[in-house]
Amino acid sequence: MGSAALYHLAARGRRALGLEAFTPLHDRGSSHGESRIIRQAYFEDPAYVPLLLRAYELWSALEQTAGADLLRITGGLMLGAPNSQIFQGSVHSAKRYGLRHEILDAVDVRRRYPALHPDPADMALYEPGAGILFPDQCIRAHLSAAAAAGAEARFEEPVLSWAPTAGGVTVTTAKGRYQAERLVIAAGPWAGAVLRDLNLPLRVERQVLHWFAPGAAGAPFAPERLPIYVWEHGDGTMFYGFPALGEGQVKVAFHHGGETTEPETVRRTVDRSETEAMQLHVGRYLPLLAGAPPVKSTTCLYTNTPDDNFVIGFHPAHPQVSIAAGFSGHGFKFCAVVGEVMADLACNGETRHPTAHFSPLRFTQA
Ligand SMILES: Cc1cc2nc3c(=O)[nH]c(=O)nc-3n(C[C@H](O)[C@H](O)[C@H](O)COP(=O)(O)OP(=O)(O)OC[C@H]3O[C@@H](n4cnc5c(N)ncnc54)[C@H](O)[C@@H]3O)c2cc1C
């Protein structure tokens, strides 16, 4: 979110400085791990669809600007029981916004995508426009486009504090002190600390990603044959995965259900029991992966709000400060449009994008 905001500010001719605690593309926050799902028939809430449509435009524009491939369209399957939030919600969004889609039953799914074994009663919405963003490339593209537009980015320079002044803000880092007219705070899982004054109800959640190598059984996992999928099981568990990328490795993960943690103290190693639990799970729903060796696993952080909606808007007490936080495990696909929104707020004091339901005021005005 920070690199996107930096780019959009610089592209408008503003003098913009990005301050990052770690190195570019580090793995201690929320934006690493090879791949992110992008989709439009948003089961969470149709209110996100206009932002998604703009995000697709901006990702595509950034591909041109940066001369890099940032996403791969594979199609996407939203799978679950007929009354599940995933199925119902994605159908609702698709119909409301006239998004291209198909409805499939479990037999269709098994026939078209032999890697997947849904329960007999499961239904799926297939959307042809869904796919995979490559987060490292996306961040690199925003940073290089920002630099080309005149922005400066400083790494390994943690912000220690910030304070409002008469004309703007003062930001103090481990290396210096800066004055600015506006401040954009996009601190990911550290947002609670950087915005301590607001006491936002953010919960940082540890998530684990697993990669398996199907080897000779891998053909049905090729990206030409398997779309991305998000799958809600009968007990409400959410599970998602990708076709095989790179060296034929298949990435799968649970969505939520992780332990509450903090970025400084999170367990960054993955226990054998966690890998075994995932092996059991894929054995049932993607049986071709049953014997596939786990090849790697890693952890990543969600920063959840109580309603799982983002926190985007002005700091309630200091309008020269704007906030992009609480992306609740589904923010990456929006980075490009969030960058535009943050530049709107900082430069114009308003945005044309529908962000009212992300207001920080919903938590600070009890
Ligand atoms: C396992 C996993 C899977 C996901 N899958 C998807 C998906 O498929 N699709 C999707 O859309 N989203 C997905 N997400 C969510 C998405 O990745 C996040 O919502 C998004 O990356 C959040 O970006 P951010 O910029 O808010 O946070 P971050 O990427 O963590 O960036 C915050 C930055 O602020 C810096 N920072 C913090 N404090 C300071 C300070 N004091 N001084 C200087 N710098 C500071 C940090 O170092 C960090 O670089 C997933 C997340 C995870 C963890």
Side-chain angles (χ1 to χ4, degrees), residues 275-299:
T275 306
E276 285 168 0
M278 183 54 94
Q279 269 175 315
L280 210 64
H281 193 80
V282 296
R284 170 162 176 199
Y285 293 100
L286 295 92
L288 294 174
L289 280 188
V295 281
K296 80 185 160 174
S297 54
T298 189
T299 59

Side-chain angles (χ1 to χ4, degrees), residues 1 20-21 26 30-31 36-37 159 189 240 300 327 331-333:
M1 303 299 172
E20 164 57 50
H26 70 86
S30 303
S31 301
R36 290 289 184 274
I37 291 173
V159 170
Y240 64 93
C300 179
F327 289 95
F332 198 89
K333 61 184 87 59

Side-chain angles (χ1 to χ4, degrees), residues 4-363:
L6 188 67
Y7 164 61
H8 281 277
L9 286 163
R12 293 180 194 193
R14 302 301 166 137
R15 194 162 163 235
L17 170 67
L19 294 167
E20 164 57 50
F22 302 111
T23 52
L25 312 178
H26 70 86
D27 64 359
R28 285 179 237 193
S30 303
S31 301
H32 57 282
E34 181 178 281
S35 50
R36 290 289 184 274
I37 291 173
I38 182 164
R39 54 194 164 84
Q40 291 179 352
Y42 223 55
F43 64 81
E44 289 87 341
D45 190 333
Y48 285 88
V49 176
L51 291 169
L52 287 161
L53 298 176
R54 181 63 180 149
Y56 270 81
E57 286 175 9
L58 288 169
W59 287 122
S60 163
L62 184 64
E63 284 191 315
Q64 300 290 323
T65 308
D69 287 336
L70 304 182
L71 76 163
R72 172 159 188 168
I73 300 299
T74 56
L77 270 184
M78 304 296 121
L79 262 165
N83 62 354
S84 59
Q85 188 204 354
I86 283 206
F87 180 68
Q88 293 275 327
S90 51
V91 170
H92 181 55
S93 278
K95 291 201 166 143
R96 170 97 181 265
Y97 284 94
L99 305 172
R100 281 173 61 208
H101 69 283
E102 280 175 72
I103 305 294
L104 307 179
D105 64 18
V107 174
D108 300 328
V109 171
R110 283 192 186 211
R111 194 172 48 231
R112 274 169 60 163
Y113 311 113
L116 306 177
H117 276 224
D119 290 334
D122 277 355
M123 295 293 293
L125 175 137
Y126 174 77
E127 60 164 298
I132 305 168
L133 284 162
F134 304 112
D136 282 1
Q137 283 89 318
C138 293
I139 296 168
R140 206 178 281 124
H142 271 134
L143 288 175
S144 68
E152 195 180 331
R154 299 202 177 159
F155 295 93
E156 298 179 271
E157 183 163 351
V159 170
L160 303 179
S161 65
W162 60 272
T165 61
V169 287
T170 299
V171 173
T172 306
T173 71
K175 294 180 183 169
R177 180 167 293 193
Y178 305 91
Q179 309 285 335
E181 282 174 43
R182 299 278 187 271
L183 174 64
V184 175
I185 297 178
W190 291 267
V194 179
L195 291 161
R196 200 171 286 113
D197 57 320
L198 289 183
N199 204 16
L200 292 171
L202 300 175
R203 185 176 76 87
V204 178
E205 183 182 4
R206 175 180 175 274
Q207 294 288 303
V208 183
L209 306 168
H210 300 271
W211 283 261
F212 292 93
F221 294 92
E224 301 76 28
R225 296 193 55 194
L226 182 66
I228 60 94
Y229 53 89
V230 188
W231 202 331
E232 181 177 338
H233 302 308
D235 62 357
T237 304
M238 296 242 193
F239 165 73
Y240 64 93
F242 297 77
L245 295 172
E247 289 147 15
Q249 298 171 357
V250 175
K251 175 174 146 183
V252 287
F254 292 113
H255 181 48
H256 292 301
E259 64 200 41
T260 298
T261 186
E262 289 301 331
E264 307 308 338
T265 53
V266 56
R267 288 192 298 127
R268 294 196 186 265
T269 51
V270 176
D271 290 346
R272 221 169 102 187
S273 62
E274 295 176 288
T275 306
E276 285 168 0
M278 183 54 94
Q279 269 175 315
L280 210 64
H281 193 80
V282 296
R284 170 162 176 199
Y285 293 100
L286 295 92
L288 294 174
L289 280 188
V295 281
K296 80 185 160 174
S297 54
T298 189
T299 59
C300 179
L301 298 172
Y302 284 179
T303 309
N304 300 322
T305 62
D307 57 13
D308 281 340
N309 288 317
F310 308 158
V311 181
I312 295 178
F314 294 110
H315 185 293
H318 311 298
Q320 68 273 49
V321 178
S322 36
I323 300 166
F327 289 95
S328 303
H330 62 117
F332 198 89
K333 61 184 87 59
F334 297 90
C335 286
V337 65
V338 171
E340 182 168 78
V341 167
M342 299 321 286
D344 286 345
L345 296 182
C347 300
N348 310 336
E350 61 181 5
T351 180
R352 70 184 165 88
H353 293 300
T355 54
H357 61 299
F358 301 146
S359 170
L361 294 173
R362 73 189 191 279
F363 301 124

